[in-house]
């Protein structure tokens, strides 16, 4: 199956070597093999580079010409320039010493699958334009749903379904608009100004952006405060209070974004209790499980998803913790029809009999854009190459390394863990020293972070939650091993030694 | 520059071969080389496969297991399954016999650059997170602007700037929201229902979707009719009339999407004349040049951009005609501040001194999502590997092949060209035969298309414009040579022979 009779193949004219052939298979083969060796060597040597780029703004813009060349340059020159011009300007996200933000994870399996996706370059906007891409995506969304023990109401083999988006932002936008249009159908489009959306002050910053994109009035976005007492998770009681106040004002509660693993501190909102409240008011409940959701493939973390059967949609980004490379965000919805109602387009030039039948999914109607890549290959390759057990081990190993780091921090009386660790992120800081102002503690921690990052040996970031400035140590870059975590701690400890000595030896606060 | 002293590098513990290492450099090297050969062979043999997939809905879903395996499968098995299970379900967009939609173009240079982008997996949301990615993107946007002879008001070296989006839809969404928020600042958010947006009945179908996403009331989207007399381009006179009627009703004209190369027939809207009208009413003018814009790198087509200095934003998708692979859409804006005002987020965990200075661009504030890939590498590799002259020749060669096809159609008295050809798309059909109903002509052309596509030797699509059903023959797949165009015409002609004979030999219309 799948081949034409050989006499079908059009005879090519004899090769004219002067002709411009941007995809000659043998030229492709040669350059691609060279590049693979370049990349394998980069991965081998990645620790040689400062993990946080040490360049200054303008470093590259100032050295490149203002316009492209008229005539070709050699491939070897260009590849050499990647080494010379690009690599010094990279913050090396794949370095084993990258502990900033959340790591973005990768694997050989996903890399080759991504090459195949690029290779086909299929634009799978509807079924017929790329049947394999659509069907594999449907199956992969069901496979991952099965790993997460999602109810059948989110699966194609049940009554729901899933789609690969690029980012959490798009996942939220598509579901928010579906919820909005369902509500506007009832109350009339002229009442868009009555719609209220809910999240906590720990909800990802993109939520506010996306709500504004969807035409929700900025003053109608409720950012409900959290507290250290609740470990920065959203309180169902407080949610109810806010909703009731809105309803009393004649407003229409629309959408709640709850989070499984917030970006600042990996706080987990109580899905079941929040959904119980929200459902009383007909609110669409979304779970943003971008980072934390992946841990739920391990039975011991699955309880964080308790109550998911009550929500309307769930997103999770395998590029954060399931080795897929960017960009890959899974979105499951309970009622795909509502998404399609809001996002479908049906221009004549995309019509065909099969696509208009009910038997197929046309993914263009599940997303913002029309074109889309064959991303599900990455999930297929990962899940088959490694198997569920290895992926569970991978999550557990990362968390184990974070526990190691947490122990090291706890073993040093000058430091404290600020927020209880849940997954593989440790939030810590130099404690407040007796007799010093809180603002001085913040300054000290800022200085420590700056010194750590400027070595190029480790990259960490910070956050401020509940008014507390803290350092974030996020374990999980694919190449990180325990030795890197221990070495990072040694570096932090040594630099803290110097810093603390400097400060105690000076009496005034202006020592730093 | 750019390397750490060797004693900085953390000593790895001795290798435990049982450990799960998803990115071992040598394992990566081996699998990636294998995959490159697989891909080079695919490109070499691509004509062996039916260009339009011949599978039926469910072909893949029905044969894959319901859940992923617990333990690993071998790489060779999985790669063999790509050949066995995936390739038969592909519609081969890169086949030289693909003449459907608009082709999606590729090159060896872009492929290797895409591999490097994947390799780094940098998440360049702000400058510091990936300085090279941000700066190269800025330079590439200026390079391409220079090739298009855009005014300095769209360039970073002038007063504007550009950004890479994934799709035209996102480009329109970001600019529309910037325009919307500027207007709402003046009239108040409660008046969102007064905002009116304009396009023609030939504007891409995604425009309507994007307007609805942004909270524009569906009844406020004006789809102005075009006609065959105006070659399906938007009439400035008609635009003025529609705007005036809206203004008279107390509505607020907001945004115009004009098109340089419409999807159905590659019609070109008169940018200057439309902008002259729109500017009187303070309307944001966007040019969607997704397909046609690339031709403007050739001086003889640059006139289609006349008046671009008057507009606010312009988008162009190099994945359509400039060999980049998906997904790559350039967006230039005259006033980046308006985009940033609408789309910026500034959470604590992304803050750092450099990013908050005015000296750098943080691209997360120019797009819907937060994360973003290092896509500009592809433009850098293409522009340097081929040079401007080769890219111009590539555009001209595609157009020349379309002219060849057009001549062949014209040489057959049974066919007609329905809309004058502008670029590399030919819109044609079997003429209406004497004594037959127009609906019969449509049926005949539909049947011809079905027969052509079912051979698997050629894939074309259709459209309906001005009530006329027509066949679209879009030249430009990267591997297409003149011999493929001629062979495609031979096939169409032969199948038309049979079809016309069948119909004439039968007197009743139910023969087909």
């Amino acid at each position: 199956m799948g081949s034409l009779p050989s006499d079908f193949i059009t005879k090519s004219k004899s090769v004219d070597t002067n002709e411009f052939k941007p995809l000659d298979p043998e030229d492709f083969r040669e350059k691609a093999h060279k590049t693979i060796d370049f990349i394998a060597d980069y991965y081998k040597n990645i620790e040689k580079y400062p993990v946080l780029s040490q360049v200054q703004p303008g470093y590259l813009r100032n050295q490149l010409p203002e316009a492209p060349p008229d005539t070709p340059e050699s491939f070897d020159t260009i590849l050499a320039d990647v080494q010379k011009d690009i690599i010094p300007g990279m913050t090396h996200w794949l370095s084993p010493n990258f502990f900033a933000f959340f790591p973005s994870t990768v694997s050989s399996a996903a890399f080759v699958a991504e090459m195949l996706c690029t290779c086909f370059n299929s634009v799978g906007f509807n079924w017929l334009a790329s049947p394999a891409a659509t069907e594999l995506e449907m199956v992969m969304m069901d496979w991952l749903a099965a790993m997460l023990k999602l109810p059948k109401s989110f699966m194609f083999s049940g009554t729901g379904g899933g789609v690969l988006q690029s980012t959490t932002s798009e996942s939220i936008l598509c579901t928010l608009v579906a919820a909005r249009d369902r509500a506007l159908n009832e109350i009339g489009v002229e009442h868009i100004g009555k719609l209220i959306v809910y999240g906590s002050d720990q909800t990802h910053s993109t939520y506010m952006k996306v709500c504004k994109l969807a035409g929700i009035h900025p003053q109608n976005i409720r950012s409900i405060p959290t507290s250290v007492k609740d470990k920065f998770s959203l309180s169902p009681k407080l949610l109810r209070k806010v909703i009731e106040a809105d309803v009393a004002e004649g407003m229409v509660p629309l959408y709640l974004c709850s989070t499984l693993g917030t970006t600042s501190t990996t706080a987990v909102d109580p899905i079941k209790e929040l959904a119980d409240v929200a459902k009383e008011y007909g609110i669409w409940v979304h779970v943003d499980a971008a980072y934390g959701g992946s841990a739920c493939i391990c039975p011991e973390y699955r309880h964080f998803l308790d109550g998911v059967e009550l929500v309307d949609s769930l997103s999770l980004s395998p590029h954060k913790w399931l080795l897929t490379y960017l960009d890959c965000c899974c979105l499951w919805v309970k009622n795909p029809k509502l998404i399609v109602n809001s996002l479908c387009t049906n221009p004549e030039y995309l019509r065909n009999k099969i696509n208009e039948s009910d038997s197929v999914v046309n993914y263009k109607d599940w997303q913002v854009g029309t074109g889309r890549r064959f991303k599900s290959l990455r999930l297929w390759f990962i899940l088959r190459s490694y198997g569920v057990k290895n992926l569970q081990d991978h999550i557990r190993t990362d968390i184990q390394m974070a526990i190691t780091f947490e122990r090291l921090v706890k073993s040093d009386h000058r430091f404290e863990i600020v927020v209880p660790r849940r997954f593989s992120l440790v939030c810590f800081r130099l404690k407040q020293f007796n007799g010093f102002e809180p603002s001085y503690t913040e300054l000290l921690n800022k200085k420590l972070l700056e010194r750590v990052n400027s070595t190029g040996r480790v990259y960490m970031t910070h956050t401020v939650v509940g008014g507390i400035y803290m350092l974030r140590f996020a374990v999980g870059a694919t190449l990180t091993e325990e030795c890197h975590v221990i070495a990072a701690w040694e570096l932090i400890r040594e630099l803290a030694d110097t810093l603390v000595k400097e400060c105690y030896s000076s009496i005034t606060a202006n020592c730093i």
Side-chain angles (χ1 to χ4, degrees), chain A:
Chain A
M1 177 190 201
S3 279
L4 291 170
S6 60
D7 62 337
F8 263 42
I9 299 167
T10 304
K11 295 224 167 27
S12 181
K13 57 190 164 181
S14 62
V15 175
D16 170 358
T17 49
N18 284 325
E19 225 180 317
F20 177 53
K21 283 184 181 289
L23 191 68
D24 175 77
E26 295 312 322
D27 174 65
F28 166 87
R29 198 189 302 267
E30 187 198 329
K31 286 174 179 155
H33 279 309
K34 266 191 195 174
T35 309
I36 289 300
D37 283 327
F38 181 96
I39 294 171
D41 291 344
Y42 168 74
Y43 284 154
K44 217 167 166 173
N45 297 319
I46 195 165
E47 286 188 66
K48 286 189 186 156
Y49 308 113
V51 51
L52 175 66
S53 175
Q54 309 286 312
V55 298
Q56 292 303 308
Y59 96 97
L60 185 62
R61 287 187 68 198
N62 297 336
Q63 76 191 67
L64 294 185
E66 284 213 352
D70 273 343
T71 51
E73 297 182 62
S74 87
F75 180 69
D76 291 339
T77 309
I78 305 170
L79 200 57
D81 285 350
V82 173
Q83 187 70 44
K84 183 171 74 65
D85 297 334
I86 300 299
I87 284 185
M90 296 308 295
T91 290
H92 298 277
W93 281 70
L94 299 198
S95 165
N97 300 311
F98 185 97
F99 302 101
F101 311 112
F102 286 126
S104 191
T105 60
V106 305
S107 59
S108 302
F111 192 97
V112 300
E114 176 64 10
M115 284 200 286
L116 289 166
C117 163
T118 306
C119 150
F120 292 125
N121 202 43
S122 68
V123 190
F125 38 70
N126 59 22
W127 183 87
L128 194 59
S130 190
T134 297
E135 299 210 3
L136 191 65
E137 186 161 332
M138 294 170 75
V139 177
M140 289 307 103
M141 294 306 295
D142 271 11
W143 277 19
L144 211 50
M147 285 167 69
L148 294 163
K149 304 208 185 311
L150 295 187
K152 281 280 179 186
S153 52
F154 286 106
M155 293 165 77
F156 286 110
S157 61
T159 52
V163 59
L164 290 174
Q165 304 273 348
S166 294
T167 60
T168 300
S169 312
E170 286 167 57
S171 296
I172 296 179
L173 181 58
C174 292
T175 51
L176 176 60
V177 166
R180 183 199 68 186
D181 290 351
R182 180 179 62 176
L184 293 179
N185 265 343
E186 282 179 30
I187 64 173
V189 286
E190 67 280 15
H191 294 302
I192 190 169
K194 288 193 176 172
L195 300 177
I196 311 282
V197 298
Y198 303 87
S200 85
D201 59 7
Q202 298 303 304
T203 307
H204 194 282
S205 58
T206 201
Y207 182 50
M208 181 123 5
K209 184 200 281 203
V210 167
C211 291
K212 289 193 285 179
L213 280 172
I216 302 298
H217 295 183
Q219 72 270 27
N220 290 5
I221 305 169
R222 303 279 173 265
S223 177
I224 301 170
T226 58
S227 67
V228 69
K229 159 178 93 50
D230 285 334
K231 296 177 192 161
F232 303 109
S233 78
L234 176 54
S235 147
K237 218 185 256 178
L238 209 49
L239 173 69
R240 180 186 296 278
K241 218 170 123 183
V242 176
I243 295 173
E244 281 177 356
D246 286 324
V247 171
E249 294 282 330
M251 306 306 270
V252 179
L254 179 69
Y255 188 96
L256 165 68
C257 180
S258 61
T259 308
L260 198 173
T262 61
T263 306
S264 271
T265 67
T266 68
V268 176
D269 292 337
I271 298 177
K272 189 185 171 316
E273 292 76 6
L274 292 171
D276 278 339
V277 173
K279 287 295 141 192
E280 284 179 43
Y281 301 90
I283 293 173
W284 182 299
V285 182
H286 180 78
V287 178
D288 167 8
Y291 162 75
S294 296
C296 302
I297 65 167
C298 302
E300 66 271 32
Y301 297 109
R302 171 59 177 76
H303 64 92
F304 289 125
L305 276 175
D306 283 356
V308 70
E309 64 282 2
L310 303 172
V311 312
D312 300 279
S313 51
L314 167 74
S315 58
L316 181 162
S317 296
H319 59 235
K320 282 207 160 52
W321 214 354
L322 286 178
L323 312 178
T324 62
Y325 287 90
L326 289 177
D327 37 10
C328 182
C329 175
C330 296
L331 169 67
W332 289 274
V333 290
K334 214 179 237 174
N335 192 343
K337 218 174 154 56
L338 289 174
I339 301 278
V340 172
N341 282 350
S342 283
L343 303 178
C344 78
T345 53
N346 198 14
E348 185 63 39
Y349 48 81
L350 297 185
R351 282 191 184 159
N352 61 65
K353 273 185 207 162
I354 292 178
N355 290 333
E356 285 173 35
S357 74
D358 272 346
S359 62
V360 299
V361 161
N362 297 311
Y363 271 127
K364 74 176 171 49
D365 299 336
W366 293 55
Q367 64 175 17
V368 174
T370 305
R372 64 198 321 272
R373 304 173 73 235
F374 191 174
K375 290 185 188 176
S376 57
L377 278 171
R378 282 186 263 161
L379 290 171
W380 197 44
F381 268 68
I382 288 172
L383 297 177
R384 296 183 64 191
S385 298
Y386 306 134
V388 176
K389 280 194 178 20
N390 269 319
L391 293 170
Q392 290 171 332
D393 282 353
H394 146 74
I395 298 280
R396 288 172 183 139
T397 308
D398 283 351
I399 293 177
Q400 198 50 52
M401 286 192 279
I403 292 172
T404 299
F405 186 82
E406 188 185 27
R407 280 200 196 122
L408 292 165
V409 173
K410 283 182 176 168
S411 72
D412 188 322
H413 69 281
R414 299 167 303 176
F415 285 89
E416 65 181 349
I417 301 293
V418 190
V419 185
R421 183 202 50 73
R422 270 193 203 277
F423 301 106
S424 67
L425 171 73
V426 180
C427 295
F428 71 109
R429 63 166 190 166
L430 278 167
K431 272 186 208 160
Q432 193 167 330
F433 298 145
N434 279 340
F436 286 104
E437 294 288 310
S439 66
Y440 185 71
T441 309
E442 178 165 334
L443 212 59
L444 212 59
N445 278 288
K446 272 186 181 163
K447 194 75 192 169
L448 178 59
L449 182 64
E450 256 178 56
R451 290 195 183 178
V452 168
N453 287 344
S454 69
T455 63
R457 290 169 61 186
V458 163
Y459 182 31
M460 299 190 302
T461 46
H462 79 285
T463 192
V464 175
V465 180
I468 306 167
Y469 181 97
M470 60 191 89
L471 308 178
R472 292 172 80 265
F473 190 85
V475 179
T478 307
L479 295 167
T480 301
E481 299 178 35
E482 199 174 55
C483 57
H484 300 102
V485 171
I486 294 170
W489 169 250
E490 287 303 315
L491 177 70
I492 295 165
R493 202 184 46 73
E494 280 166 30
L495 292 171
D497 284 349
T498 321
L499 187 64
V500 171
K501 266 184 217 149
E502 276 172 33
C503 294
Y504 271 106
S505 70
S506 165
I507 309 173
T508 58
N510 56 13
C511 66
I512 55 169

